[in-house]
Amino acid sequence: MSNSYAQPVLRTTDLAEGLRIVERLLAIADLRSLEIDYEAVIPSADVLASMLELLPHAKWFAEGNSGGSSAKGDDPSAHLPVRLRALGRPPETVGPFLALVGDSPATVRWDFSGWPEAPEVGLGAGGERGAFVTLCVNVRDLELEEPAADH
C-alpha cells in the first residue's frame, strides 16, 4: 500500500494550458517506458460508446449502488454513470480522450521510467517510484470526488 503525496503545480480553467505544462514536465523525464492511464466518470451512453471504441477492454464499474461492472460482464450502458479505467495505453490516445471527456471528471496519468537528477536541490536521478504526472480534468482530486470548474 502506498500514499499519494501528489500536489498541484498549476490550476487553470484552460485545459490546453494544463496539457502544455504536462508536456513541459515530460520533456525532462525519462520516457523509455511511457504508458498512459485513464480514469473518468462517464455519464452518457454516447460518450461511453466512443470511449470504449477509443479504449477497448477498459474496465468499468457503476458509480451508484447498482453493482454493475465489466468484471461481471454487465452492459455498461445499463448502469450509467460508470467509472471507466484504462491502463497502459499509448500516448496518441490522450487528445481523443480529453475531447471525449467534456465536462466530466477525469484523470490522465503519464507513467514513465524516472526523473533526471537535480543536484541543485539535492536530488539524484529518480526511478520509477514517483515517476508520473497526472492531469486532473474538471476535478480537484485524484479520486474524482471533488468536481471543479478548473483543471
Side-chain angles (χ1 to χ4, degrees), residues 70-91:
S70 55
K72 295 178 182 179
D74 295 328
D75 175 8
S77 60
H79 297 279
L80 295 169
V82 299
R83 186 176 293 234
L84 182 118
R85 288 189 180 134
L87 307 176
R89 303 306 167 109

Side-chain angles (χ1 to χ4, degrees), residues 8 15 18 24 27 39 44 56 62 67 72 78 83-84 86-87 96 105 108 126-127 137 141 148:
L15 183 56
R24 286 181 64 192
E39 187 165 357
S44 67
K72 295 178 182 179
R83 186 176 293 234
L84 182 118
L87 307 176
V108 180
V137 181
D141 66 314

Side-chain angles (χ1 to χ4, degrees), residues 18-98:
L19 194 53
R20 280 191 300 275
I21 297 301
V22 168
E23 289 168 351
R24 286 181 64 192
L25 290 169
L26 293 176
I28 64 170
D30 178 350
L31 302 179
R32 284 179 288 172
S33 63
L34 179 64
E35 291 183 342
I36 314 298
D37 298 338
Y38 298 103
E39 187 165 357
V41 175
I42 308 297
S44 67
D46 59 329
V47 172
L48 176 63
S50 297
M51 199 65 82
L52 290 173
E53 186 176 321
L54 175 67
L55 305 170
H57 311 294
K59 306 294 183 205
W60 65 270
F61 61 90
E63 277 288 281
N65 294 324
S66 73
S69 74
S70 55
K72 295 178 182 179
D74 295 328
D75 175 8
S77 60
H79 297 279
L80 295 169
V82 299
R83 186 176 293 234
L84 182 118
R85 288 189 180 134
L87 307 176
R89 303 306 167 109
E92 57 270 11
T93 55
V94 173
F97 175 84
L98 292 174

